[in-house]
Amino acid sequence: MSGNSFGLLFSVSSFGESHGPAIGCVVDGCPPGLELTEADIQAELDRRKPGTSRHVTQRKEPDTVEILSGVFEGKTTGTPIALLIRNQDQRSQDYGKIAETFRPGHADYTYWHKYGIRDYRGGGRSSARETAVRVAAGAIAKKWLKEKFGIQIRGYMSQLGEIEIPFQSWDQVGENAFFAPNNEIVPQLEAYMDQIRSERDSVGAKITVVAEGVPVGLGEPVYDRLDADIAYAMMGINAVKGVEVGAGFASVAQRGSEHCDELTPDGFASNHAGGVLGGISTGQDIVVNMAVKPTSSIAQERRSIDKAGNPVMMATTGRHDPCVGIRATPIAEAMLALVLIDHALRHRAQCADVKVDTPRIPGAIGG
Amino acid sequence: MSGNSFGLLFSVSSFGESHGPAIGCVVDGCPPGLELTEADIQAELDRRKPGTSRHVTQRKEPDTVEILSGVFEGKTTGTPIALLIRNQDQRSQDYGKIAETFRPGHADYTYWHKYGIRDYRGGGRSSARETAVRVAAGAIAKKWLKEKFGIQIRGYMSQLGEIEIPFQSWDQVGENAFFAPNNEIVPQLEAYMDQIRSERDSVGAKITVVAEGVPVGLGEPVYDRLDADIAYAMMGINAVKGVEVGAGFASVAQRGSEHCDELTPDGFASNHAGGVLGGISTGQDIVVNMAVKPTSSIAQERRSIDKAGNPVMMATTGRHDPCVGIRATPIAEAMLALVLIDHALRHRAQCADVKVDTPRIPGAIGG
Amino acid sequence: MSGNSFGLLFSVSSFGESHGPAIGCVVDGCPPGLELTEADIQAELDRRKPGTSRHVTQRKEPDTVEILSGVFEGKTTGTPIALLIRNQDQRSQDYGKIAETFRPGHADYTYWHKYGIRDYRGGGRSSARETAVRVAAGAIAKKWLKEKFGIQIRGYMSQLGEIEIPFQSWDQVGENAFFAPNNEIVPQLEAYMDQIRSERDSVGAKITVVAEGVPVGLGEPVYDRLDADIAYAMMGINAVKGVEVGAGFASVAQRGSEHCDELTPDGFASNHAGGVLGGISTGQDIVVNMAVKPTSSIAQERRSIDKAGNPVMMATTGRHDPCVGIRATPIAEAMLALVLIDHALRHRAQCADVKVDTPRIPGAIGG
Amino acid sequence: MSGNSFGLLFSVSSFGESHGPAIGCVVDGCPPGLELTEADIQAELDRRKPGTSRHVTQRKEPDTVEILSGVFEGKTTGTPIALLIRNQDQRSQDYGKIAETFRPGHADYTYWHKYGIRDYRGGGRSSARETAVRVAAGAIAKKWLKEKFGIQIRGYMSQLGEIEIPFQSWDQVGENAFFAPNNEIVPQLEAYMDQIRSERDSVGAKITVVAEGVPVGLGEPVYDRLDADIAYAMMGINAVKGVEVGAGFASVAQRGSEHCDELTPDGFASNHAGGVLGGISTGQDIVVNMAVKPTSSIAQERRSIDKAGNPVMMATTGRHDPCVGIRATPIAEAMLALVLIDHALRHRAQCADVKVDTPRIPGAIGG
C-alpha cells in the first residue's frame, strides 16, 4: 500500500483530503466484543477539533463521526470498523491563489514533483486535517487498552516556543487551551501566543506522552521494536521533527552508571529507558517526547517559486493554527495507543502460551 | 512476521544470535543487474567490526560474509540475496553467570518475560552483533543508490559524551577511530575514553547521518513518510533513544519565519526541514541525528534481581564497547540506505509515469 | 490486518455488512493522473447488481457509488480513493429468525465460534454483498490496465449446473442474463433455472475469465506467483470451491509432450499454461476457471442446530440467488484485474530498468 | 518483498538457486518453547528428497539441514529460525547448453524477459529444488500444530496420469514410492511410469491433502480466507495448475440440497465444504486436491526459440522426474501446515478472548 495504512494487526487505512467531501478510515483487526459507540470516538475528536480557543485555527469543523460498519448491537464484531467524517467548513476559495505556487515549508513542492497533480485546497491530503482520522481510530485503541490492561495514555504540552512548562498535575491538562499540566503558567502562554499572532508569526512546541499500566513484554526485538514503532508513529505526525523515548538526547552526555535503570524487588530504581529495553516494554511508564515545528503557514511575505520555476513572494492567508503543537496532544496520544494495541495483539499471537514464575516488578519507584 | 524483517519492497529478513553458529539475512527485492561481490559488502562490514582500536570491544570477529544466492556471474538476478556471517570468537563461558540474573539496562528481563526462554549468551538476539547484518544489507542498498541516483550516504560522530565535535571535513571521518569529522579533537576524545574506561563506566554519543543527491519525491504522504521511516530505522538501532530530522528539537523554540525554508530559483534558502517536507524528499540533503545511550554493560556493581525475584549485585564483565556509539556510524548509514532504497522502489511503482515541467531546484544554497 | 485488505501495492481495504448502513473500501496505491469518474465505476457495478432478471435475487439495490477522496478535477491524485455504497433495501426482519440458529452451508456457525458475536442480518460481513466493493475497486484497476497496457479482461459462464455452455462469441456475453457467450443456449438455461426454482433448490456454475494483452514478465517467482495470487483471489470469492489456470485438472492426465507449449518465432504453439510459466506471465492470454458452489440458501427444510446445540429444522427464506454463479462473472473479472495491477506495479518497482533484445513472441497462434 | 516470503505471522523467507551454494530460509514468528531438533526437520526432508526410487530424478542430494539460529538448548526461543541446506550434486555442465535457449514449459523465457538476467543452471530460482525449503519450514509448523491442537496433516497421490488411485488406507502411503494410499495398485503405477520413461515423456498427477483435528474458527472472512490462502499456497507450488477444496469442481453440477452440509448435534452430516465455510474452518477435515502438470523437461525434441528469437529444436536432457507429482505430496502437506499455523496465530491475536457456550460439533459423521 502507498503509506496510508498504519499497523500490522490493528490496522488503520486512512483516506480523505482537507477540502474533499469527507475524511475517514477503515479500522481492521479490532477484537470482537468491545462495547463501542460513536460517543466514545466523538469525545476524543472534540479534544482536537479546531475553533475551541483563539489560539487555534478558527475553521469551524464539528468533526462528527459516523460508524459505518463493524459494530452490532453496541459491540465490535471483529469485522472492519469504517469511520466517516464529512467535511463541513470548506473555504476552498481561500486556496485558489496557491494553485500555481508552492507554499514554503509545506508539501506543495514535493507533492507536485512526486505525483504531477495535487489537490491544492488546504494542502489536500497533506493537511493536518487527516489527523482527525488518527484520533478517531486511536479512540478505539485507547478504549480496548484501558479495558483489557488498564493502560492509561495521557499527554501534555511540555514546552511552548521558549517557554518550558513545569509539570504540576494531570488534572490541569484538561483545564486550559494548551493541554498544559500547569494552570499557573497559562496566562504567560496566552500572552506569548497573542504576541506571536500579532507578529504574524508562528512557533513550535514540545509534547510529552505517557502510557501507564503497560505490561512487560510488548514489542519485537529487532526491527519492529516498540520504541522504533513509537518513533515511526510520532515522526509521522504532521510537523514533527524529533522524537525521544525516556532520556532521549540527554542520554548522549550520560554515563552508563547513571543511565541504566537498576532493578530491585520493589521496582526499577529509575526510568531513563522510558519503559522500553531491547525494543520490549519493561512495565515501567512509557515516556515519549516529540518536537513540533512552527506552523509553516504565516501571514508574512516569504520567497518561493511558482510552477514555472519563477520567483514569487507569498504570504499564506487562510485560517491557520499559530502553533500546530497546541492541538497535537490528542494526536500523539492516539498514535501511541495505535502502536500499543498493535503490539499487544502481535504479542499474544506469538506468546500467548508463555508462562514464567519470575515476578513482574513495578515501574520506577515513586514515579 | 515477528519484527525481524525490514522494508516493504527491498526487504531484509535477519536472523542470528550473538553466540549461535551464525548471523545473516535474506535480502529480497534488489533490482536485477547490479554488479555485486562479497568485497563490496565486506568493505562496509570492516568499518563496523570490533577490535579495531582500544576504544571498542576486543572481541575478535572477522565478520566474513558469504553470498549464498541471488548473484550470478557477478550480477544480482532479482532473486533473494542470502548473506551468511559465521560467528567465530564466542566466549560463551563469559556469560554462564548471567543465565540466572538480569543485567540492568539490557533486554534480559524483558526477553525473559516475553518469551519465557532466552539465549543469554552475550544477549543472544538482543546483542548489537545483529547490526552487522544491517550493515551488510545496507551495503547493497548503498551501492544501488549510488549507481542509480548518485546518492551518497555518510555519517559521523557529532558528540561524544559531553564533548561536541565541530565538523571539519568528511575526509577526516575515516582517519580516526571515532568517525569524528575532526582530527584535531581526536586526542581529547581518546583521553576522555581512557578516563571513562578507567572509571569502569561508559558514555553516550550523538551520530549525524547525511544523504546527498536524493531526488525530490521519495516518501509517502501520511504514515510511511520518509522521515517517519527514518525515525523507525534509527530508533530501531540498539541503544538509540532519540532521533531528529533537520532542526529536530531545536524547532520547538523556532519561529515559523525562521524555520520554514524559502524556495528560490537557485535553490532552497536553508535546510531546517532536513530534506523532507510532508513526508516526501525535497531534493535537499537529508540530515538525521540520533542519540546513542551509554553502554549498559559496565564493570561497576549494580543492583538487579535474579529469576526468582531476589535482589542481587552484579557487574557486567566480558568484552564490551565503553561507548557503543563509536561503532554506530556505519550502522546508521546502512539503515538510512535501506529506507531510501525501499522508498525509491515504492516511488517508481506508483509514480513511474509522472512527468512535470517544473524545474527541480537544488538543495540549500551553499550547503 | 484481519484479512479485509487485498493487494500489496494497489491495495483495497474493504468494509461493510449486508444490512449495515453502507459498504465500501479504501483503494490505496492507484497511480496518479488516471481519469476517473463515478460513472466509470457505476458501469461495472450495474453489471453485478441484483434484481436485473428473474434468475437472480429480487433484492433492489441501486448500488450507487460515491467517490469520497483521491480524485481531483477528474483525475486520480495518487492518494487513497475511498468508495462508499449506501445500503438501501434492507429487510432485516427477514433475518430475525436466524439469529438463534445456524444456516447450513453458511458462515453462521463459523463466525459465531470465531468471534462470539455476529451480525446475523443477511449474513452480515459474510454476505456476497461485499463483492460489490470488489467490483468497484476492480473497475479502477481495469481502467488503468486498459489505458496502460491495453489489457482487456473479460469473463463468461462456461457451465450452469449440468449444462456446459459452448463458447460462441464475446459479443453475446452481454446480451443475456447469464453472461453466457452463447445466445442460442439461453432458453435452455432459463428453463433449467425455472425448474431449479420450482424445486426450491439451487445449483452451481463454472465461470471462465480471460485477460488479453498482458505483457510478459508480470508475477513473482516463488510464493507470490501470478497464478498463486489469481488462485487466492478467485478462491476468496464467496462460494468458490475450485480454481484452474490453463489446462487445470485436465493436465493430470496429460503427457508432457502434449501439455508443454512450444515456442516459435510466430508465437506459442498452444496455451495449456494459461499464460503463466514459473509464476510469471508469458504474454499469452491468461485463462482462469472457477467453480461456484450452489447457493446454500434454499427454501427446503434442512437439518441444523441452534446456539444451544439443539437440533432444528430450517428453510432459508428471504430473497436469494438460485445460482450465485450467475452474478459472479463481473466479480471474477474484478479480482483478476486487482491481481494484475498489483503485479504490474510490483514489477516496475523492481524491474523498471530491465532491457532485453530478445523479441517478445505473441500468444498462442490462432487463439 | 518480491514474493519470496510466505505467511504474515509465521513467515518463511526463502532463498537459493538449484545450482548455487545453498538453499534455505528464515522462519520468523515461531512461538517460543517448542522442542525442535534438526532431526525433526530432516525426517520430512527425507520424504521428498530425490533419488529414492527409479521413478524420480537420480540427482543425489542428501538435503542435510542445519539450524543456524532461533533454537537454544533444544527449544525455540521466539527469534528467527534460519535453516541452511547446502547444495551437493550440481552438474552445472548439464545446463550450459540451455544458457542461450528457452526450454518449453519452463520459466526460462519469462525470467529472461522479467529480469534481463537468469541463473540458467537447472532453472536456478525457478527449480523445484526450492520446495525443499518449504518442506523444512513446514516441518516446524507441522510439529507445532500437532503439539498445540493435535492437528494431523497427511497427503497422498489420488491419481497418476489416467490412473485413479482408490484410497485404501493411510498406512500404505508410506509403503511405496508414489505416496499411494493403496499398495495393490503400485505394480500398475510402476509399469505405467516405466512406459512413460521409455517413451521419453512425462505425465501429471493429482495430490490430495487432508488436515484432521483443525479447530473451528481459523481463517479470515473476506480476502485472507482459509481456503483462499490454501489455494494460494498450493497453486504456488511448482507445476500446480488447479486447486480444489472439498467438492471442488464437482460442486458446479451439484444442487444446493446436495452440496450444503447439514448440521446435527452429532456432527456435520457430510463434508462437501472441505472443512471451510465463509473462509473459516468448521472443525471438519480440511480436504484439498491439487493438479500437478506433467514435467516439462522431456527428452523428446521440441520447438523453441533462442535468445535472438531464432527457432531451435531442443530436447531437455539432465536428470529429471518423469512425474514431478510423485514427490509433491510432502510439499503439499508442508504448505497446508504453513497456512494453518499462520491462521492459528492470527486467530489468537484477534480472538484470544472469545468464549461461546455453543458446543462445537464433530466433523462429518463416520468420516
Side-chain angles (χ1 to χ4, degrees), chain D residues 30-68:
Chain D
C30 182
L34 176 71
E35 291 191 355
L36 185 70
T37 67
E38 285 160 348
D40 294 320
I41 299 169
Q42 198 63 54
E44 289 291 328
L45 281 171
D46 291 345
R47 293 177 65 219
R48 97 164 255 301
K49 78 178 177 190
T52 52
S53 83
R54 74 178 185 275
H55 306 296
V56 299
T57 173
Q58 295 308 298
R59 176 173 176 173
K60 292 277 177 295
E61 280 294 352
D63 284 347
T64 306
V65 67
E66 178 184 11
I67 297 175
L68 294 177

Side-chain angles (χ1 to χ4, degrees), chain C residues 51-263:
Chain C
T52 52
S53 83
R54 72 179 187 274
H55 307 296
V56 299
T57 172
Q58 295 309 297
R59 177 173 176 173
K60 291 277 176 293
E61 282 290 354
D63 283 349
T64 308
V65 67
E66 180 184 7
I67 296 176
L68 295 177
S69 66
V71 178
F72 183 61
E73 296 177 343
K75 288 185 174 173
T76 60
T77 61
T79 60
I81 302 167
L83 303 177
L84 183 68
I85 300 171
R86 292 274 177 186
N87 292 324
Q88 304 291 344
D89 183 12
Q90 310 156 18
R91 293 209 201 135
S92 300
Q93 65 279 16
D94 290 351
Y95 299 99
K97 68 176 78 69
I98 64 170
E100 298 303 309
T101 56
F102 307 118
R103 294 168 301 166
H106 280 280
D108 302 350
Y109 175 81
T110 55
Y111 268 57
W112 178 249
H113 278 296
K114 182 178 183 67
Y115 298 114
I117 179 175
R118 67 187 175 100
D119 180 346
Y120 51 77
R121 301 166 304 164
R125 184 67 177 156
S126 70
S127 167
R129 175 139 187 75
E130 189 276 338
T131 58
V133 171
R134 311 186 194 200
V135 170
I140 302 172
K142 264 185 167 182
K143 188 156 200 250
W144 187 83
L145 290 166
K146 181 81 177 176
E147 297 192 2
K148 179 73 182 171
F149 296 107
I151 293 175
Q152 181 168 35
I153 297 171
R154 298 181 293 192
Y156 59 88
M157 178 183 281
S158 43
Q159 186 173 339
L160 175 66
E162 298 91 342
I163 307 170
E164 293 188 18
I165 303 172
F167 184 91
Q168 288 290 348
S169 86
W170 283 112
D171 302 337
Q172 297 175 29
V173 173
E175 297 171 357
N176 60 76
F178 300 89
F179 295 91
N182 183 327
N183 287 337
E184 293 167 18
I185 206 169
V186 169
Q188 183 185 349
L189 301 179
E190 290 182 320
Y192 183 76
M193 287 310 301
D194 292 339
Q195 175 67 18
I196 296 283
R197 272 204 313 285
S198 69
E199 297 168 3
R200 296 175 305 142
D201 211 337
S202 63
V203 72
K206 183 160 84 174
I207 306 299
T208 300
V209 201
V210 178
E212 297 165 74
V214 178
V216 60
L218 304 191
E220 301 298 336
V222 176
Y223 299 123
D224 299 348
R225 292 167 187 245
L226 186 57
D227 42 0
D229 280 355
I230 288 170
Y232 162 80
M234 299 302 165
M235 194 71 89
I237 297 172
N238 309 47
V240 171
K241 303 302 291 180
V243 182
E244 297 179 312
V245 174
F249 279 90
S251 59
V252 170
Q254 286 179 320
R255 299 294 177 95
S257 53
E258 172 190 4
H259 177 91
C260 93
D261 309 309
E262 294 184 303
L263 291 76

Side-chain angles (χ1 to χ4, degrees), chain B residues 164-219:
Chain B
E164 293 188 18
I165 304 172
F167 184 91
Q168 288 290 347
S169 87
W170 284 113
D171 303 337
Q172 297 176 30
V173 173
E175 298 171 356
N176 60 77
F178 299 90
F179 296 90
N182 183 327
N183 287 336
E184 294 168 16
I185 206 170
V186 168
Q188 184 185 347
L189 301 179
E190 291 182 318
Y192 182 76
M193 287 309 301
D194 292 339
Q195 176 66 18
I196 296 285
R197 271 204 314 285
S198 71
E199 296 169 2
R200 296 175 307 142
D201 212 337
S202 64
V203 73
K206 184 160 84 174
I207 306 300
T208 300
V209 200
V210 179
E212 297 165 74
V214 178
V216 59
L218 304 191

Side-chain angles (χ1 to χ4, degrees), chain D residues 92-112:
Chain D
S92 301
Q93 64 281 14
D94 289 351
Y95 298 100
K97 67 174 79 68
I98 63 169
E100 298 304 310
T101 55
F102 306 118
R103 295 167 299 167
H106 279 280
D108 301 350
Y109 176 81
T110 54
Y111 268 57
W112 178 249

